[in-house]
């Protein structure tokens, strides 16, 4: 199935499903997809949802890593200058 076709089929399928009528956010959408096994039927849509949930965490983690690298680099440069 072509990714665009899977997405269009997913939209049509969800509009006709009453279980998805009270979804309030992307987290509850992911939970409901797993519970109803639609994550197996629409794997590309589910992967897109998982990636959108993961992106803020990955971004924050990388920012922390770069911040720590900056601190270490600054301290090393100060030590070199002192010597």
């Amino acid at each position: 199935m072509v990714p665009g076709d899977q997405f269009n089929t997913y939209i049509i399928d969800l509009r006709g499903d009453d279980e998805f009528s009270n979804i309030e956010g992307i987290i509850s959408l992911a939970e409901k997809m797993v519970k109803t096994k639609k994550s197996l039927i629409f794997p590309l849509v589910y992967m897109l949802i998982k990636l959108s949930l993961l992106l803020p965490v990955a971004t924050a983690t990388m920012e922390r890593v770069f911040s720590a690298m900056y601190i270490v680099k600054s301290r090393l440069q100060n030590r070199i200058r002192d010597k």
Side-chain angles (χ1 to χ4, degrees):
M1 186 180 282
V2 179
D5 292 342
Q6 189 177 123
F7 188 68
N8 290 330
T9 306
Y10 172 75
I11 292 171
I12 292 168
D13 186 47
L14 256 59
R15 285 183 179 163
D17 195 343
D18 291 335
E19 285 190 57
F20 287 84
S21 62
N22 60 353
I23 298 295
E24 294 187 13
I26 194 164
I27 295 172
S28 59
L29 175 62
E31 290 172 348
K32 186 68 79 169
M33 280 188 72
V34 170
K35 195 179 292 184
T36 59
K37 299 202 188 305
K38 291 202 187 273
S39 60
L40 302 174
I41 299 168
F42 301 105
L44 295 176
V45 175
Y46 185 65
M47 185 184 308
L48 181 64
I49 291 170
K50 283 194 318 185
L51 288 173
S52 66
L53 289 170
L54 179 69
L55 187 62
V57 175
T59 304
T61 302
M62 288 307 300
E63 286 178 3
R64 285 189 202 118
V65 167
F66 282 116
S67 178
M69 286 174 48
Y70 177 76
I71 291 169
V72 169
K73 184 179 174 184
S74 297
R75 288 183 182 166
L76 285 174
Q77 286 176 345
N78 289 339
R79 285 185 187 168
I80 291 171
R81 288 183 193 150
D82 291 342
K83 289 182 179 181

